[in-house]
Amino acid sequence: MAIRVVTGIVGIALAAFIIQTGGVVYSAAVLLLMLIGWHEYAKAFSSFGKPLAYFSGMLAMLSFWACAWKGNADEFMALSTFWILWTLLQAVFFHRSFSVEQACYSVAGIVYLGFSFSHLILLRFFDTGEMMSTPVGNMDAGCAWLWIALIGTWASDSFAYFAGCTMGHVKLCEAISPKKTVEGLIGGVVGTMASVAALGYALSLPIVYMAVLGFFIALVATVGDLVESAMKRYTGIKDSGNIIPGHGGVWDRFDSVLFVVPFVYYFVQVFTFLNR
């Protein structure tokens, strides 16, 4: 537990530095997370006896990152189409050693990890043309919304954990994640709504909008956690890696974020449109 706490504190401090610095430092950090996440995903299926299109996936991550960094939707669509079709075609060209099943697992991982991690770039550099006033000084809108997404995810995880430990009895999805409870989910929803609403107040954003966002963040974060749990259970692994002491791998740590950040990104699009 001590290692987990220390790693968590160091991780939060490092994340704060990288997020606030932005620019190339932030983008390079996201690329590293994408590549490690894909490596862990591919390793999980390889241990299951289903080696994936590893190098195609690595190149796909790199190309998605570049498109998100440059903000080019047309190139993103073109490269996404290419890598998906090329991965499927490998089941034809290399059919003796690479099955359709392996191709489908590969495509699923490329879309799941590549698209989701790319939204960490898209959200951080989302530009509304104005700065947001925060208790720690002015901050560009994309940076503020990224913090809302991350803090909301952490709040969901923390409140769900404590509510589940103290009051949890009814299993939420025992076949996939035996420790998750309905009471934990409710605690996570209530805690996240309060946390995100408080952030909204601090940032002078409509509290009702933010409470609604908190409600959905808690649900989406839980779904993201369950999706990774289902994949780990399917492949027979406990943790995706051990790169983060006490926390497992990158995929373990970002399972909820991979769902929450894209959701928040499109919530911001709607929110910005409604408030013009």
Side-chain angles (χ1 to χ4, degrees), residues 2-181:
I3 294 176
R4 183 179 177 87
V5 172
V6 171
T7 304
I9 294 172
V10 172
I12 290 172
L14 182 60
F17 170 76
I18 292 172
I19 291 169
Q20 294 303 124
T21 301
V24 175
V25 172
Y26 177 82
S27 297
V30 172
L31 175 60
L32 181 62
L33 292 174
M34 290 176 75
L35 297 177
I36 294 174
W38 168 254
H39 172 78
E40 292 175 348
Y41 177 90
K43 182 180 176 182
F45 280 90
S46 181
S47 67
F48 181 58
K50 302 291 181 182
L52 305 187
Y54 185 80
F55 292 106
S56 293
M58 283 290 188
L59 292 173
M61 298 299 121
L62 181 61
S63 62
F64 295 164
W65 168 83
C67 289
W69 173 230
K70 292 298 182 181
N72 193 318
D74 290 336
E75 286 183 4
F76 191 94
M77 180 63 71
L79 286 168
S80 299
T81 302
F82 171 78
W83 286 116
I84 290 170
L85 295 181
W86 165 244
T87 303
L88 293 173
L89 278 172
Q90 290 182 59
V92 176
F93 296 146
F94 312 116
H95 63 275
R96 295 184 184 278
S97 58
F98 191 73
S99 68
V100 171
E101 186 180 14
Q102 289 168 268
C104 290
Y105 289 144
S106 299
V107 168
I110 287 170
V111 172
Y112 167 45
L113 297 168
F115 286 18
S116 297
F117 270 118
S118 294
H119 281 80
L120 279 167
I121 301 250
L122 296 175
L123 183 59
R124 173 62 180 83
F125 299 110
F126 179 76
D127 183 16
T128 61
E130 60 183 22
M131 301 292 286
M132 294 177 68
S133 177
T134 78
V136 295
N138 290 335
M139 189 180 297
D140 60 83
C143 186
W145 282 109
L146 177 61
W147 276 117
I148 289 170
L150 295 178
I151 292 172
T153 304
W154 296 333
S156 172
D157 183 58
S158 300
F159 281 106
Y161 175 78
F162 287 115
C165 287
T166 56
M167 299 178 289
H169 293 291
V170 182
K171 300 297 183 182
L172 178 65
C173 193
E174 189 171 10
I176 293 176
S177 186
K179 293 183 179 180
K180 277 193 168 33
T181 63

